[in-house]
Amino acid sequence: MTRMDATEYPGARDSGAILFPVSDYDLAATLDSGQAFRWRAVDDAWEGILAGNFFRLRQTTDGISAELLGSAASQHGPRTTHSEQLRDYLQLDVDLAAVIATFPEDAPMRAAVAACRGLRLLRQEPWECLVSFICSSTKQIVQIRQIIARLCERFGEPIPVAAEVRRLHSNAERGAQKAKGKLEPSDVGSDRAFAFPSASRLAGVSETELRACKMGFRAPYVLAAAQTVASGGLDLARLHLLATDEARVKLMELPGVGRKIADCVLLFAYGKQDAFPVDVWVRRALTELYFPHRRPTPQRLERFANTHFEPNAGFAQQYLFHYVRTLRPKK
DNA sequence: CGCCAGGCGAACA
DNA sequence: TGTTCGCATGGC
């Protein structure tokens, strides 16, 4: 295991943990808010894989601590240091107060901000984000997680994990899973980790194998996306150079990718703030919060969504989504 | 059990 | 340009 660069966390030198000082960051809300689907809560920490690196993150009083638990043998993603990877992925340099200051000043937005203090947007890897949201259509978030977990377990590159970490996992995790009677094959591997499978890897699997990951009718969409990206028909690494509208057109050329999924990728992987994914939850939020006891036409709602929340509309959208989905689920 | 889930595309008018 | 419907699968 390589030692991480950057300031080490005092008192945690043995584990190689480093501390990122940051305030106003709710790690749990951010990692568990339906933007990304690979983070797991393990005791008081969050574990996930990023560009082939297996990280454990913790919210601390001063910020966020990070440990590297293992890495895939081959190079995944850009050649940056681990700390740079995390800094970019977690968007630690974003001034959240400055972003929130640009939100529209109305009662619904104020309520959402007050309820979701510290919620952030991640900056994910485009390929993983694209596949994840192709698999998201008409699926609940828990199911999306299961699909993606199976996909990685079956086709992703294994990540060697130190024996000490492995033992900790098998004890804590399996006990909890067994108690709930939910020990599935894909959960048994909780002491193993896998990188997200590359486009070229998935381009070579069969639709049947993808369907075995329980992604149903989305399987041919994932396969087509993998083949298009692997063959160079769509260069995900260069999409960030395009304006949002042009990048959206490119993404929507893929079968199974419509406006909503394209906007999720534009927002969560490319940081395009003028992307505003409107799903059932956001539609519900907009209708209930801004048009109570009225019945806005779809066009009216779309125009409102596209004009009211600038210039950080995507960020505002995530606050509304998280607000209505998790903080007032009953009603 | 029926309903719905961070939708999309084909088939229609 | 605007609805309607089928699509896999599983949680509640």
Side-chain angles (χ1 to χ4, degrees), chain A residues 234-278:
Chain A
L234 175 62
D235 188 350
L236 292 177
R238 295 201 172 274
L239 273 194
H240 71 95
L241 299 172
L242 302 180
T244 305
D245 291 344
E246 304 172 59
R248 181 185 291 124
V249 168
K250 292 284 188 190
L251 288 170
M252 287 177 65
E253 286 174 2
L254 296 170
V257 179
R259 170 67 185 245
K260 190 269 169 182
I261 289 176
D263 276 13
C264 283
V265 177
L266 291 170
L267 181 61
F268 300 138
Y270 294 97
K272 302 284 192 184
Q273 281 298 322
D274 44 342
F276 194 98
V278 177

Side-chain angles (χ1 to χ4, degrees), chain A residues 76-108:
Chain A
H76 288 252
R79 290 161 195 258
T80 57
T81 67
H82 299 133
S83 124
E84 282 168 345
Q85 271 177 10
L86 286 168
R87 184 166 288 283
D88 181 58
Y89 180 85
L90 296 170
Q91 291 284 284
L92 295 176
D93 293 327
V94 166
D95 182 346
L96 184 60
V99 171
I100 288 175
T102 69
F103 288 176
E105 300 212 17
D106 53 46

Side-chain angles (χ1 to χ4, degrees), chain A residues 37-38 135 139-154 177 182 184 186-187 212-215:
Chain A
F37 304 96
R38 291 251 280 157
C135 292
K139 277 289 175 196
Q140 297 179 124
I141 290 176
V142 282
Q143 296 179 33
I144 303 168
R145 286 205 185 93
Q146 290 170 4
I147 293 169
I148 300 304
R150 287 189 188 95
L151 192 67
C152 294
E153 182 180 316
R154 294 179 191 192
Q177 294 289 334
K182 288 189 169 183
E184 283 185 37
S186 58
D187 292 325
C213 297
K214 307 298 184 185
M215 65 177 71

Side-chain angles (χ1 to χ4, degrees), chain A residues 160-231:
Chain A
V161 179
E164 174 192 340
V165 176
R166 187 169 292 173
R167 185 165 40 73
L168 286 174
H169 280 211
S170 33
N171 292 345
E173 275 295 306
R174 286 197 189 151
Q177 294 289 334
K178 237 177 222 165
K180 292 159 81 175
K182 288 189 169 183
L183 196 62
E184 283 185 37
S186 58
D187 292 325
V188 177
S190 60
D191 56 338
R192 296 179 299 162
F194 299 87
F196 193 86
S198 67
S200 52
R201 173 71 179 100
L202 292 185
V205 311
S206 69
E207 183 183 320
T208 305
E209 289 177 287
L210 291 179
R211 283 184 185 263
C213 297
K214 307 298 184 185
M215 65 177 71
F217 61 84
R218 304 155 194 85
Y221 299 153
V222 170
L223 188 53
Q227 291 168 346
T228 301
V229 170
S231 69

